[in-house]
Amino acid sequence: MNVNGAPYRTIWLKPGDNRIVQVINQVKLPHVFEINDLASVEDVCRAICDMTVRGAGLIGASAAYGMYLASLEAPEPGFRDALQRAGNALKATRPTAANLAWAVDRMLGVIGGVSSYTERCAVAMQEANAIADEDADHCSRIGTHALPIISALAQQKAGKAVNILTHCNAGWLAFVDVGSATAPIYAAHDAGIAVHVWVDETRPRNQGASLTAWELGQHGVPHTLITDNAGGHLMQHGLVDMVITGADRVTRNGDAANKIGTYLKALAAHDNRIPMYVALPSSTFDFALRDGINSIPIEERDGAEVRYITGQTQHGAIESVRICPQKTPVRNWGFDVTPARLITQLICERGICEATEEGILSLFPERR
Ligand code: MRU
C-alpha cells in the first residue's frame, strides 16, 4: 500500500544487501515513519517482542525471514540444532498468533533437509519471500471475495456510505500488504463504493488510533476514530452496517481469537442483528484446536501498557504519561476469543464460509 504516494510493504530484503531484513517500525507510527534494519534472528525476536512488527500475518512473515537470517548464521556442523533453537526462540516471542509457529515450521520443513550451506541459504530466502508474497496475495483475495457483501449493503443504502466498524489493526500493517479486515474495505473503496469506517481506538496500545487511522488516511478511505466503548451505542442507533475484524488464531470450529475487546463488539453486533465478519488468511487457522475459549493461549502483557499512555505533545515530543495512581494493580490481556456462534461468516483467501467445522472444512477438505 502507499505511504505518502510511494508503495511499501511492511517487510522486505534490503536492496543491495539481502543479508538484512527491513521493516517499518510500527511503534513509532503515526508520528514518525522509520525503517529499521534486522540483521540477526535476535533482532527479529526483539522486533516481534517490542512490537516494532506486529499483527498475525506480519509476525508470521517476520518469523520466516528470521529463519532465513538464522540459516545465514547457523554453523557447520550443527546447523540443524541451531535452526531448531532459532525456531524455538521465535516461537517463544508471542503466544497467540497461529501464523508464527506455522511460518517457523514451514521454514524448518523446507530448509532443515538441505545439507549445503549455500543452497540452504538460497532455499531459505526463497521460502521466506514466498511466505511474504502469499500473505499479500491471500489478503488481496480476501478483498475480492468480500466485495459482493459490501456491494449488496451499498445497494440497500441507496448511495449512502456503508458504515463498517473494525477493531485494532488488521490492516496492511498487520500483514505484508493489503490486510485482512481492511482488504474488503480497500476493495470496495477502490471500486467506487462509498464506505466509512468506525475505527476503535483499541486500548491499551491503541493500534486502531495509531495504525488503522493512519493507513486508512494514507489510502483516502473516510473514517472516524471512536473510543473502544462507543461501538454498542452506534449499533443501537443504526450507524453500523457491518463489523469486520481480523483474527490471530481461529480454531477448526470457528472460534476466533482477536485483539481484546473484539468479543464485546461481537456481542453488541449480535444483539443488534448486525453482521459480524472475521477475515483471515489460512495461515491463521489452527486446525488442531476445537475449543477456542479454553485452548487458545492468550498473551498477557506488561501492566505498564495499561498504566501509561503514549502520544505526541503539542510541541512534537513523543511522551508517555501515567493515567492511574502509581500503585494501582493492573492486568493486561492482549486478546479475547469470540465464539463461533457470534460470527456471521469467515472470509479467507479460498472464499467465504460459515464459522462452523463443516463450513471451514468445505473450504479446506484436505483437513478432514
Ligand atoms: O497485538 P497485535 O497488534 O499484534 O494484535 C494483532 C491485531 O492487531 C489484531 O488482533 C488483529 O485484528 C489481528 S492481526 C491480523
Side-chain angles (χ1 to χ4, degrees):
M1 303 294 287
N2 285 352
V3 178
N4 301 327
Y8 275 92
R9 282 183 165 191
T10 53
I11 189 164
W12 61 90
L13 290 176
K14 185 174 184 173
D17 184 359
N18 60 22
R19 300 173 74 90
I20 304 282
V21 175
Q22 293 192 303
V23 296
I24 297 171
N25 183 345
Q26 302 198 18
V27 175
K28 299 237 170 137
L29 285 173
H31 311 296
V32 178
F33 182 74
E34 179 185 278
I35 308 294
N36 286 180
D37 286 358
L38 308 178
S40 63
V41 69
E42 285 77 23
D43 284 355
V44 176
C45 288
R46 203 174 313 114
I48 297 174
C49 284
D50 70 17
M51 293 178 70
T52 298
V53 291
R54 34 67 54 201
L58 179 56
I59 290 172
S62 302
Y65 282 111
M67 291 305 292
Y68 160 59
L69 296 177
S71 57
L72 293 174
E73 294 162 16
E76 301 267 7
F79 76 89
R80 275 197 193 87
D81 288 347
L83 289 175
Q84 200 63 56
R85 276 196 303 279
N88 292 342
L90 285 161
K91 283 183 185 179
T93 52
R94 295 192 70 192
T96 302
N99 308 56
L100 175 55
W102 169 87
V104 168
D105 291 340
R106 176 163 157 180
M107 291 295 289
L108 281 172
V110 171
I111 56 182
V114 184
S115 51
S116 125
Y117 175 81
T118 315
E119 199 188 332
R120 193 163 59 242
C121 295
V123 166
M125 183 168 81
Q126 202 178 7
E127 195 65 11
N129 284 336
I131 285 174
D133 288 347
E134 265 173 39
D135 181 87
D137 175 60
H138 288 178
C139 285
S140 123
R141 284 169 198 268
I142 287 170
T144 307
H145 291 305
L147 184 55
I149 299 173
I150 300 185
S151 152
L153 284 171
Q155 274 172 17
Q156 288 166 26
K157 295 209 68 178
K160 283 205 244 135
V162 177
N163 285 305
I164 302 169
L165 184 139
T166 193
H167 191 65
C168 198
N169 174 263
W172 71 271
L173 291 168
F175 289 85
V176 174
D177 209 349
V178 187
S180 59
T182 50
I185 295 167
Y186 291 132
H189 176 79
D190 293 349
I193 297 172
V195 289
H196 165 263
V197 185
W198 296 112
V199 178
D200 286 348
E201 59 180 350
T202 320
R203 277 284 287 151
R205 291 189 64 98
N206 294 312
Q207 290 96 326
S210 54
L211 304 177
T212 305
W214 180 80
E215 64 161 89
L216 291 174
Q218 288 285 334
H219 198 74
V221 178
H223 62 281
T224 306
L225 181 64
I226 53 174
T227 58
D228 284 334
N229 298 325
H233 170 72
L234 297 181
M235 292 181 202
Q236 286 174 327
H237 289 272
L239 294 170
V240 178
D241 298 305
M242 69 191 296
V243 178
I244 314 180
T245 70
D248 296 85
R249 190 183 298 230
V250 173
T251 59
R252 70 186 283 128
N253 66 320
D255 292 344
N258 194 54
K259 183 54 59 192
I260 192 88
T262 305
Y263 171 48
L264 291 177
K265 299 299 170 293
L267 282 172
H270 189 72
D271 193 45
N272 289 280
R273 295 186 177 76
I274 291 166
M276 155 92 194
Y277 293 92
V278 173
L280 70 155
S282 51
S283 46
T284 301
F285 280 108
D286 185 337
F287 288 98
L289 301 185
R290 270 204 168 76
D291 174 358
I293 293 168
N294 290 305
S295 60
I296 297 180
I298 300 295
E299 175 178 20
E300 191 167 351
R301 298 183 58 83
D302 194 329
E305 292 181 350
V306 179
R307 284 198 185 92
Y308 291 83
I309 195 158
T310 303
Q312 189 168 39
T313 67
Q314 285 174 339
H315 308 293
I318 308 297
E319 283 182 10
S320 287
V321 292
R322 183 161 42 77
I323 57 168
C324 61
Q326 200 159 15
K327 292 193 174 157
T328 299
V330 297
R331 297 286 297 268
N332 183 15
W333 291 274
F335 302 91
D336 60 24
V337 175
T338 298
R341 68 187 158 79
L342 297 178
I343 298 170
T344 306
Q345 281 182 315
L346 301 172
I347 311 169
C348 66
E349 77 276 4
R350 293 200 192 176
I352 297 178
C353 68
E354 300 304 308
T356 60
E357 182 161 359
E358 213 27 57
I360 293 168
L361 295 183
S362 71
L363 291 181
F364 296 89
E366 72 276 19
R367 298 292 188 161
R368 274 187 196 281

